[in-house]
Amino acid sequence: MKFPPVSKAPDPFMTPSFAASLDALSGWRAALALRLDALAGFLRDHELVDAPAAAQLASLRERLGHEKLVVAFVAEFSRGKSELINAIFFADTGRRVLPATPGRTTMCPVELAWNAAEPASLKMLPIETRRDGHSLAELRSQPQSWTTLMLQVHEPEQLAQALQAVTRTQWVTPELARELGFWHDDQPDDNPPVDATGRVEVPFWRHALINYPHPLLRQGLVVLDTPGLNAIGAEPELTLSLLPTAHATIFILGADTGVTKSDLAVWRDHLSAQGQSRFVVLNKIDALQDPLARHGQVEAQIESQCQATARTLGVTADRVFPLSAREALSARVAGDDEALRHSRLPVLEAALGTQLLPQRRQVLERVVLDSAQHIEAHVARRLGDQRRQLAEQMLELRGLRGKSGARVRLMLQRVDTESAEFEQCPVRLQAMRAVHSRMLRSSLAPLTSDRLRDEVGRMQAEMSATLLNLGARKAFVSLCGRVRQGLAEARQHGAETGDMLGASFAKLNGEFGFSLALSRAPDLARFIAELDLIEHSYVKYLGLTHALRLSQPKLMEQFRRMLLSKLRVVFENASAELEMWNRAMSTQVDSQLRERRRSLVRRRESLERVQAAAGELEQRLAEIEAQDARLQGHLRRAHDLLETLREQACAGPQVAIDLISLQMPELDADLPLLRAQA
Ligand SMILES: Nc1nc2c(ncn2[C@@H]2O[C@H](COP(=O)(O)OP(=O)(O)OP(=O)(O)O)[C@@H](O)[C@H]2O)c(=O)[nH]1
Ligand SMILES: [Mg+2]
């Protein structure tokens, strides 16, 4: 059927598609990464970064190169999630690749991504792995737990055949179904079908990973296809981990069914808190086709259904995208642009491209700009130190012009006295270091994994002490309180360390001519926010009658492990940030100490040479001036490299590449590649 032209802005044929925008984002990231490599190489060659600054550069590089963008498709069963994924990603294979049929089809969560280090494959985790309580995160790194099928990416038939596996089910006893989390006596309506012999149909797999070299997946996109509600509820990790951390969620409704009670339950339980990055699709608008309808009537009906949907879900109407995934897929397979336009899929793709990607870009841009500022300050300080030492030396030598040999001897004595005084410095530093490392230990103590395990154990004991786990939510909230307290303690100790270092630095600067600068101790706000997010999604989960289900030991164990691994990541990252800051502070002292020693030796050598030969003084002065000019050159070059990195970060993708060709002729060889990507 044909629909009247789409009225909703933006016009998908005027704005770039999702694919083109993602390409542009990747091109921008690749260009930034090249810039960053040039900067890091220069700083390394001229010894302008210490270990913590080099680590910061490396982690930024890793992020630019490998950051993933996760888009999750969520809905009740049979709303068309898999069909929509087929239409967006797989139409070029010329057929339906992910199974999409009436009734329940996708039986386990399916993650599509590309990891170039592995061959194209389908990996599946048997459902029985739920019985031993291991979390999905733990099992990801255990290849022996997964069943692997190789995929022939150029043979669509084989591909589709292999992917049929995600629909596989098995018949088990009600006891086993209960143990696996698919049977709940308290919610008979949600329970799966039972056959004549009393056996229950449950999914065969727990999770599937498709490694597929689609151009978008190659660029870091990860697509998550989920099964209908029942299975979502049964895998806590999906609810608590995968969905809350997705960068965007696409929630799908059927235009033929409207918003049903169970659609609303999925929305409320899994998507209501995700703000900006939710897209609502009203799928199957082709099903509203009515041969008896007057011109424009179907269109009006779609419009009013969108309005009603937006009202019911509490989103603005421009977040609701009416379309037909089935028509879009067949239009793409047939190469029929007109039919594709009428399927209205391009409107959704354009919205993903224009709304989601700029948001991701901004996040990265901020990180790059912050790092650039940090590195700039670091380099300026380091070069400033070196130049200061040279200036002192120069002053000393200039003072010798026209002076007698006795004067030179006197100066030599002065250098020796200074060196002797300076030998006091390491003793003083040792005292400061002892205090520093004690304080560092106290700031990390509240964040150890032992402490975390104890706290989670305490929560578990509190939960099971209440009747049927009804106190689960309360016990969990109180655990969060204690974890937050741990982060606050660590932050407090960090601030105290900062005070101590500030006072010591001021003294050392005064007595030994250092230029030690204190940067602010980490406030750990990022980790407190992460904890808030975890708390939010878990609290919601524990309200969903799941608390009752946790009275099953296996589920409880799985819940405990998952919670522990999530919180451990928060603690580990917070510890790493604290440690990094502490390390940056102490390496600063080390490098200034080294620099100062070197400078004393150099001063002595200069004076000795001047003493030995009369003509040496001017030559030494000229050398020092040349050295200083070189350092100034380094400062300028570092500044230029940082400036172009910043310009690159703020520029649009095409501009970014033009900047490279204008300013970095040595990168010319990479340009065709970059242009192809942008
Ligand atoms: N008429 C019509 N049918 C559609 C459309 N999109 C999907 N379908 C059909 O709806 C049925 C369910 O689609 P799926 O893609 O399997 O739905 P799903 O949401 O993935 O369902 P589960 O995997 O069971 O959770 C299939 O028969 C599709 O062909 C559409 O736009 N129009
Ligand atoms: Mg499906």
Side-chain angles (χ1 to χ4, degrees), residues 560-600:
R560 191 189 70 84
R561 278 170 182 258
M562 192 174 57
L563 179 61
L564 197 60
S565 72
K566 289 230 96 166
L567 293 178
R568 198 180 284 138
V569 171
V570 176
F571 270 24
E572 276 171 5
N573 290 341
S575 297
E577 190 162 312
L578 274 169
E579 270 177 291
M580 181 110 132
W581 173 76
N582 278 282
R583 201 146 48 92
M585 293 302 105
S586 50
T587 42
Q588 187 190 166
V589 175
D590 292 341
S591 79
Q592 292 203 14
L593 183 72
R594 225 176 13 247
E595 204 46 54
R596 192 86 190 138
R597 266 219 183 98
R598 242 191 252 161
S599 143
L600 282 167

Side-chain angles (χ1 to χ4, degrees), residues 434-455:
V435 178
H436 186 189
S437 67
R438 205 176 51 237
M439 293 182 93
L440 173 62
R441 271 199 304 278
S442 348
S443 37
L444 297 181
L447 304 179
T448 60
S449 48
D450 283 350
R451 174 148 168 195
L452 193 59
R453 199 171 314 111
D454 292 348
E455 294 295 4

Side-chain angles (χ1 to χ4, degrees), residues 47 114 245 281 316 321 572 607 667:
E47 293 182 23
W114 173 243
T245 53
V281 166
T316 50
F321 297 85
E572 276 171 5
L607 288 168
L667 295 182

Side-chain angles (χ1 to χ4, degrees), residues 66-79:
H66 296 111
E67 197 178 58
K68 298 284 183 204
L69 179 76
V70 182
V71 179
F73 289 70
V74 184
E76 248 299 25
F77 74 94
S78 218
R79 297 294 182 262

Side-chain angles (χ1 to χ4, degrees), residues 256-275:
D256 51 346
T257 49
V259 188
T260 67
K261 190 162 161 253
S262 57
D263 285 326
L264 258 185
V266 176
W267 173 261
R268 205 183 41 235
D269 296 342
H270 305 289
L271 291 131
S272 56
Q274 295 195 6

Side-chain angles (χ1 to χ4, degrees), residues 430-491:
Q430 212 169 3
M432 183 187 81
R433 282 207 187 96
V435 178
H436 186 189
S437 67
R438 205 176 51 237
M439 293 182 93
L440 173 62
R441 271 199 304 278
S442 348
S443 37
L444 297 181
L447 304 179
T448 60
S449 48
D450 283 350
R451 174 148 168 195
L452 193 59
R453 199 171 314 111
D454 292 348
E455 294 295 4
V456 173
R458 188 171 144 195
M459 174 204 74
Q460 191 178 3
E462 283 173 12
M463 278 188 181
S464 19
T466 61
L467 186 67
L468 289 172
N469 276 325
L470 289 176
R473 190 198 288 234
K474 190 160 157 244
F476 173 70
V477 170
S478 110
L479 166 75
C480 289
R482 296 195 298 275
V483 171
R484 201 169 281 117
Q485 176 64 26
L487 285 168
E489 273 173 39
R491 179 174 56 192

